[in-house]
Amino acid sequence: MKSLLLLLLVVAVVMLGLLFSMENTTLVSLNVLVAELPEQRLSTWVILSFFVGGLCGMLSASFVLIRLQASRLRLLRNVKRASPERQA
């Protein structure tokens, strides 16, 4: 049941993406301070910006998760070291 819902969600997102791409065919150029990128369809720039934003979000979240994991392991080591001392 869960996989069927996931499949329906993926199909809906793909269909909405295709509809968005077909409706936004206006050519626009993008100026990014130091360069002007060639003209592309508006839908291409929007989808690309969402993709890059998602990658940046995952990258920043992974740095936070790595720091939390290191902190957790350090605390576990400290607890293991402290446990024999408390029992004695």
Side-chain angles (χ1 to χ4, degrees), residues 6-70:
L6 182 62
L7 177 66
L8 288 174
L9 179 66
V10 168
V11 168
V13 167
V14 168
M15 294 299 288
L16 285 172
L18 288 173
L19 181 63
F20 179 78
S21 292
M22 289 189 303
E23 291 294 322
N24 292 294
T25 58
T26 306
L27 292 177
V28 293
S29 61
L30 190 63
N31 187 345
V32 287
L33 298 179
V34 295
E36 186 164 330
L37 300 175
E39 288 187 346
Q40 293 289 330
R41 293 185 317 189
L42 178 62
S43 60
T44 302
W45 290 124
V46 171
I47 291 171
L48 186 64
S49 68
F50 276 116
F51 181 74
V52 169
L55 286 178
C56 290
M58 287 191 293
L59 183 65
S60 64
S62 67
F63 285 134
V64 171
L65 288 174
I66 289 170
R67 286 182 49 206
L68 286 173
Q69 181 72 7

